Amino acid sequence: MARRLRFTGTDSKNGGCPALHEDTRSGEIIVQGRPVTDSEDLDRLQHFGPDDAAVAVPRKLLVHHGPKELDRVPDIISLDEFGQLFETFEHTAWRLETRRGYASDREDPTYLEFVETGSIALDYDDDWSQNIRAQVAAGKTIGRVRILDEPPTEGQLFLLADSPRNTAAGEDIRCLPRSEAEARLLGDDDFWVFDSRLVARLRFDEADVFHDVEVITDPVEVLRYCQLRDAAMHGAVPCAEFAEGLKG
């Protein structure tokens, strides 16, 4: 089985080698660096086996981007605290949606309406829309990128049908094919970034049920999520345009 790699970081100014990746299944750290090939150097390495490979990386790469603890203890906040973030952020709120469906959507009465008719009646004055309009009117920016399968799942098509409600309130919602997301190593974390200083990582179970929110404020980790945001935004298509493309 192929590793599920997540880009951890690099100190390279051009985004290249050296770099670190993490296997999110096993927790192993993959070090990408300059190969050590000199025979005398290899002879001096202790416990170096015939199938081993050695690479050289700057110390600061491990200091800046290596794990800081053996077992990470998540910082969980209440759903009320999570909701307050959408009122108290100062400049930007941005989300990456990675799942193929959400249990909360399937429980919405409009979901059955969508399954039966292919469309839904949009409520442009719900609580979410009212708050987004207020935040945008205050000069703040709110956006997201949705990763969509090829072809999109039923749950993803439902969100596409619902997206005009969000965009009417002032959100910038874009779509990215999953093949592109995988090529860019975006991973499967579903998260919000607030003001490029705080990450709210949404945690779901295998049944797509939303359980809780982990807050991340470590600058190195926040930077990694900001890099994922930048990679996701590059070339992502506005949802309305993406939906039109599906009709063709």
Side-chain angles (χ1 to χ4, degrees):
M1 180 183 297
R3 295 179 183 273
R4 182 178 293 175
L5 297 181
R6 179 179 68 181
F7 176 70
T8 302
T10 177
D11 284 319
S12 171
K13 300 301 185 291
N14 59 9
C17 187
L20 292 183
H21 291 75
E22 178 184 2
D23 184 344
T24 59
R25 286 195 179 97
S26 68
E28 292 179 310
I29 304 300
I30 311 301
V31 180
Q32 175 186 334
R34 180 171 52 85
V36 177
T37 58
D38 185 276
S39 60
E40 292 186 9
D41 290 338
L42 294 175
D43 287 342
R44 293 190 181 96
L45 295 178
Q46 298 186 37
H47 313 297
F48 191 78
D51 296 325
D52 294 342
V55 299
V57 298
R59 179 184 295 268
K60 67 178 182 179
L61 175 73
L62 303 181
V63 172
H64 291 169
H65 303 290
K68 303 301 185 293
E69 52 192 2
L70 183 61
D71 296 310
R72 179 176 177 178
V73 179
D75 181 8
I76 305 300
I77 62 172
S78 70
L79 296 185
D80 285 341
E81 291 175 295
F82 176 53
Q84 291 171 9
L85 292 175
F86 294 95
E87 299 178 5
T88 59
F89 75 96
E90 297 180 5
H91 309 292
T92 61
W94 185 90
R95 180 179 182 181
L96 181 65
E97 291 185 2
T98 61
R99 302 191 68 82
R100 291 176 167 86
Y102 297 87
S104 58
D105 289 339
R106 296 192 290 269
E107 295 168 358
D108 193 302
T110 59
Y111 193 90
L112 180 59
E113 176 188 353
F114 173 77
V115 172
E116 292 178 345
T117 67
S119 62
I120 55 177
L122 299 175
D123 181 2
Y124 290 96
D125 202 36
D126 65 331
D127 291 343
W128 175 263
S129 298
Q130 290 183 34
N131 180 58
I132 295 306
R133 283 197 296 270
Q135 303 307 321
V136 172
K140 304 176 187 181
T141 300
I142 303 174
R144 68 180 81 195
V145 167
R146 286 178 173 147
I147 297 176
L148 300 183
D149 286 71
E150 302 158 272
T153 66
E154 181 180 80
Q156 292 166 349
L157 290 173
F158 169 76
L159 288 174
L160 273 178
D162 187 57
S163 61
R165 175 179 62 89
N166 300 68
T167 54
E171 283 192 67
D172 177 17
I173 306 183
R174 297 171 181 266
C175 298
L176 187 71
R178 191 169 297 278
S179 59
E180 281 290 323
E182 292 175 347
R184 302 178 193 185
L185 300 178
L186 295 186
D188 55 8
D189 277 357
D190 202 302
F191 62 89
W192 282 91
V193 180
F194 295 93
D195 295 328
S196 297
R197 65 174 182 81
L198 181 150
V199 172
R201 180 173 173 264
L202 312 186
R203 308 206 308 177
F204 299 83
D205 63 21
E206 294 183 356
D208 303 320
V209 177
F210 171 51
H211 282 282
D212 52 39
V213 180
E214 176 188 0
V215 165
I216 300 171
T217 56
D218 178 85
V220 172
E221 277 288 282
V222 172
L223 173 60
R224 184 178 68 80
Y225 282 97
C226 289
Q227 291 171 334
L228 292 176
R229 175 193 61 196
D230 294 346
M233 283 293 292
H234 182 72
V237 177
C239 270
E241 181 180 333
F242 191 92
E244 283 297 317
L246 291 177
K247 296 177 183 179

